[in-house]
């Protein structure tokens, strides 16, 4: 039978940039597109539409997208009907400027408008360039089953947006106000994943600690406990936490369940109280260290990672040294470290970006160097220890080796056995390490 609506068979290729929330969003928008009759493909060559799911958190993230668009012009020259779309944070931030300045962009859709993407593609195919960038107070996509490519590891978005308005951060403007899914819908999704044989679920949100189920009043600790109980054979991780909302109850809940991974990402951002105030983070260094103390008391082996910004406006050498001291005192297993990048519309944008770039780079390098030294020392202590890991994928460097993660989120590379496959639960003994990787042997 003739296909009456040929556009319904369009092939869509999506590229994802930025944080885990964006990767999770790509799975949601992919699912929406498939439900509308489109196909998702893995390479751009045969695509009828190329969508970039973008990040705005730092200037260099946006620059990458502008550069990618220059490359994509080539594809558009080869195929005049090719649709190019910008999704996510950059779509929300730049809105119609994107359509005006980037002539090859046909559609722009913000993070709360993914349901409109099928229609926007249809419109673009008939020559109408379109934009949808309304932010919502209720959209959580909780009825959409994300298109997951792994049958073992799942991202599960439990809330969207952020109400914290840290002074440097563009997220509350691009992702909108905070809203949580119901506990019931999250647990139902977990039960489905459990029945399909998934091994690991990461609960995601910009600030998961402020999760609140409006109906039952359940908080994040309640949700985590309900998740762990609903699927005892699944390991649970979560990110990201905010130090203000890192409650005793949450730490206690983590310590009570073996299937809640002993790993916490707790961004400190700076070790100086004056800078934390300017960042509008809402806590002091003392409060932060108190949370770390509690975590280490209740879960001695728990690994901790963080985010740090170097060169925030007015940051002095003394402030910078205070950050180095906190890094030393906590002993982070890992860190994401950034140079401050001014973002339009944020409160900090009004402050003069007065730390010269060269100085930001110097401070950042000092932070990175110290952090690597600490991680190397901590990983060195892992030698001789036993860990249970979930096999994740073949190692990129050597096809005879695989990688997986410990409960504490450390990457372990190990020689595979005949037939090692994604999802295998393996006991490994560690015999070597660097600052970023452990090396082990299956036992
Ligand atoms: N400049 C540099 N780093 C930033 N981050 C967020 N906004 C900025 C900015 N304007 C970092 C923070 C946050 C992480 C996701 O990105 O450390 O925790
Ligand atoms: Fe941005 Fe702060 Fe919200 Fe994190 S908590 S997303 S840094 S505003």
């Amino acid at each position: 039978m003739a296909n009456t609506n040929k556009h319904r068979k369009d092939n869509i290729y999506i590229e994802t940039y930025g944080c885990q929330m964006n990767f999770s969003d790509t799975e949601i928008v992919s699912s929406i597109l498939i439900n509308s009759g489109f196909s998702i493909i893995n390479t751009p060559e045969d695509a009828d539409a190329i969508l970039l799911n973008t990040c705005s958190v730092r200037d260099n993230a946006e620059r990458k997208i502008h550069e990618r668009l220059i490359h994509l012009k080539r594809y558009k020259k080869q195929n005049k009907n090719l649709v190019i779309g910008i999704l996510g944070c950059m779509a929300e931030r730049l809105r119609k400027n994107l359509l005006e300045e980037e002539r090859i962009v046909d559609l722009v859709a913000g993070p709360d408008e993914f349901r409109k993407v099928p229609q926007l593609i249809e419109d673009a195919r008939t020559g109408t360039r379109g934009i949808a960038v309304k932010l919502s107070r209720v959209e959580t996509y909780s009825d959409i089953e994300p298109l997951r490519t792994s049958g073992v590891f799942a991202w599960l978005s439990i809330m969207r947006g952020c109400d914290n308005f840290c002074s440097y951060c563009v997220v509350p403007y691009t992702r909108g106000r905070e809203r949580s899914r119901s506990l019931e819908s999250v647990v139902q999704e977990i039960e489905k994943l459990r029945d399909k044989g998934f091994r690991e679920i990461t609960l995601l949100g910009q600030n998961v600690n402020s999760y609140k189920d409006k109906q039952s009043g359940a908080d994040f600790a309640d949700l985590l406990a309900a998740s762990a109980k609903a699927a005892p054979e699944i390991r649970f991780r979560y990110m990201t936490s905010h130090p203000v909302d890192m409650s005793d109850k949450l730490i206690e809940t983590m310590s009570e369940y073996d299937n809640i991974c002993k790993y916490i990402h707790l961004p400190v951002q700076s070790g100086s109280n004056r800078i934390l105030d300017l960042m509008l983070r809402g806590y002091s260094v003392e409060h932060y260290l108190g949370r770390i103390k509690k975590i280490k008391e209740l879960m001695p082996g728990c690994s901790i990672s963080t985010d740090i910004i170097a060169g925030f406006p007015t940051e002095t050498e003394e402030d910078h040294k205070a950050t180095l001291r906190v890094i030393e005192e906590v002993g982070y297993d890992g860190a994401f470290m950034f140079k401050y990048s001014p973002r339009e519309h944020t409160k900090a944008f009004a402050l003069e970006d007065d730390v010269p770039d060269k100085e930001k780079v110097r401070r950042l390098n000092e932070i990175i160097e110290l952090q690597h030294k600490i991680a190397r020392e901590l990983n060195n202590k892992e030698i001789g220890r036993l860990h249970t890991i979930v096999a994740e994928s073949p190692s990129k460097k050597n096809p005879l080796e695989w990688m997986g993660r410990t409960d504490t989120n450390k990457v372990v590379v190990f020689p595979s056995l005949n037939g090692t496959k994604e999802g295998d639960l393996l006991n490994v003994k560690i015999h070597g390490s660097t600052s970023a990787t452990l090396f082990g042997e299956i036992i």
Side-chain angles (χ1 to χ4, degrees):
M1 207 175 80
N3 181 1
T4 48
N5 187 349
K6 78 181 177 64
H7 298 327
R8 285 288 162 194
K9 292 283 177 222
D10 279 359
N11 287 330
I12 315 292
Y13 170 69
I14 309 180
E15 254 168 40
T16 312
Y17 297 80
C19 67
Q20 260 93 19
M21 280 299 284
N22 267 11
F23 282 84
S24 164
D25 277 358
T26 292
E27 295 183 342
I28 290 168
V29 81
S30 297
S31 174
I32 291 172
L33 285 163
I34 286 176
N35 290 340
S36 302
F38 293 93
S39 301
I40 302 294
I41 58 171
N42 293 323
T43 53
E45 284 76 24
D46 297 323
D48 300 296
I50 297 178
L51 307 178
L52 309 182
N53 191 5
T54 60
C55 169
S56 284
V57 82
R58 281 170 295 278
D59 183 54
N60 55 7
E62 290 197 350
R63 223 172 312 138
K64 232 192 257 171
I65 300 295
H66 288 296
E67 277 162 23
R68 184 65 181 135
L69 285 172
I70 293 169
H71 274 111
L72 291 181
K73 275 195 182 131
R74 215 184 41 212
Y75 289 95
K76 197 131 177 171
K77 268 200 193 123
Q78 286 161 4
N79 172 8
K80 290 235 162 0
N81 294 325
L82 176 68
V83 171
I84 293 185
I86 301 286
L87 311 181
C89 287
M90 212 171 142
E92 194 61 51
R93 202 179 83 75
L94 298 175
R95 300 175 167 220
K96 68 175 189 325
N97 293 349
L98 262 176
L99 289 181
E100 281 159 15
E101 283 159 26
E102 300 282 358
R103 296 302 304 170
I104 71 160
V105 173
D106 301 293
L107 72 93
V108 170
D112 287 345
E113 295 271 41
F114 293 152
R115 291 180 202 267
K116 293 202 183 134
V117 173
Q119 188 59 49
L120 287 168
I121 294 176
E122 299 280 355
D123 294 346
R125 296 288 275 170
T126 54
T128 310
R129 299 163 86 214
I131 179 163
V133 287
K134 266 215 195 93
L135 288 170
S136 160
R137 286 189 176 250
V138 292
E139 179 65 271
T140 60
Y141 302 111
S142 69
D143 58 318
I144 305 233
E145 191 177 332
L147 176 74
R148 297 191 167 97
T149 46
S150 159
V152 174
F153 300 95
W155 307 115
L156 203 168
S157 155
I158 60 162
M159 61 191 301
R160 300 182 69 82
C162 182
D163 282 353
N164 280 339
F165 291 92
C166 300
S167 67
Y168 51 80
C169 186
V170 80
V171 166
Y173 306 93
T174 59
R175 287 186 162 273
R177 305 311 296 264
E178 197 171 283
R179 67 222 98 115
S180 299
R181 281 173 62 171
S182 72
L183 181 138
E184 199 189 350
S185 86
V186 174
V187 170
Q188 272 169 6
E189 191 169 341
I190 287 169
E191 285 166 350
K192 270 197 206 153
L193 293 169
R194 175 197 66 198
D195 295 346
K196 285 182 180 165
F198 276 76
R199 287 249 180 247
E200 203 171 287
I201 296 177
T202 305
L203 305 178
L204 283 181
Q206 238 71 45
N207 175 14
V208 289
N209 306 146
S210 60
Y211 172 89
K212 197 90 191 162
D213 179 5
K214 269 203 215 127
Q215 258 172 4
S216 65
D219 62 12
F220 182 62
D222 299 326
L223 177 74
L224 200 54
S227 307
K229 263 189 243 161
E233 51 286 88
I234 290 181
R235 298 207 298 198
F236 287 90
R237 303 186 186 281
Y238 66 89
M239 65 192 320
T240 288
S241 298
H242 193 291
V244 166
D245 306 309
M246 189 81 216
S247 65
D248 282 358
K249 179 179 168 190
L250 175 57
I251 301 169
E252 280 154 16
T253 304
M254 280 184 78
S255 72
E256 280 162 18
Y257 291 87
D258 284 342
N259 63 330
I260 301 178
C261 289
K262 302 300 176 274
Y263 164 63
I264 300 177
H265 183 62
L266 197 62
V268 67
Q269 313 296 1
S270 168
S272 152
N273 280 334
R274 191 181 66 81
I275 296 293
L276 286 175
D277 276 351
L278 286 174
M279 288 178 163
L280 302 178
R281 288 290 286 174
Y283 56 84
S284 63
V285 174
E286 293 70 27
H287 170 85
Y288 184 91
L289 293 175
R291 298 294 75 205
I292 298 289
K293 186 159 169 256
K294 183 82 184 175
I295 292 165
K296 289 187 172 173
E297 254 167 42
L298 265 62
M299 298 178 284
C302 187
S303 81
I304 300 169
S305 62
T306 200
D307 292 344
I308 291 170
I309 298 176
F312 188 81
T314 77
E315 188 189 73
T316 62
E317 184 61 22
E318 215 168 291
D319 297 320
H320 167 61
K321 290 248 158 61
T323 299
L324 294 174
R325 277 199 299 279
V326 167
I327 295 173
E328 194 106 50
E329 180 155 353
V330 175
Y332 291 110
D333 295 271
F336 300 98
M337 299 158 278
F338 314 102
K339 268 194 315 184
Y340 170 68
S341 165
R343 308 311 288 137
E344 216 177 337
H345 304 307
T346 61
K347 293 219 177 77
F349 196 71
L351 303 172
E352 191 192 343
D353 182 20
D354 60 351
V355 180
D357 192 61
K358 213 167 143 208
E359 183 58 17
K360 279 186 194 164
V361 172
R362 186 193 67 77
R363 290 180 195 173
L364 180 64
N365 284 339
E366 229 171 82
I367 290 169
I368 292 172
E369 211 171 292
L370 174 63
Q371 176 49 37
H372 282 179
K373 176 176 139 290
I374 292 169
R376 219 169 17 247
E377 285 164 9
L378 287 173
N379 283 351
N380 201 29
K381 287 189 189 153
E382 294 282 339
I383 293 174
R385 290 188 187 155
L386 300 177
H387 282 287
T388 303
I389 61 168
V390 183
E392 213 166 296
S393 59
S395 144
K396 284 189 194 104
K397 287 191 190 142
N398 178 351
L400 298 176
E401 291 182 328
W402 269 61
M403 62 78 67
R405 266 167 228 270
T406 64
D407 174 294
T408 50
N409 206 37
K410 289 181 189 276
V411 169
V412 184
V413 172
F414 57 95
S416 55
L417 298 176
N418 236 346
T420 297
K421 60 182 187 315
E422 190 190 31
D424 285 353
L425 266 187
L426 302 167
N427 290 315
V428 292
K429 185 170 183 184
I430 307 303
H431 59 65
S433 70
T434 66
S435 64
T437 314
L438 303 179
F439 300 94
E441 206 80 50
I442 302 176
I443 51 162

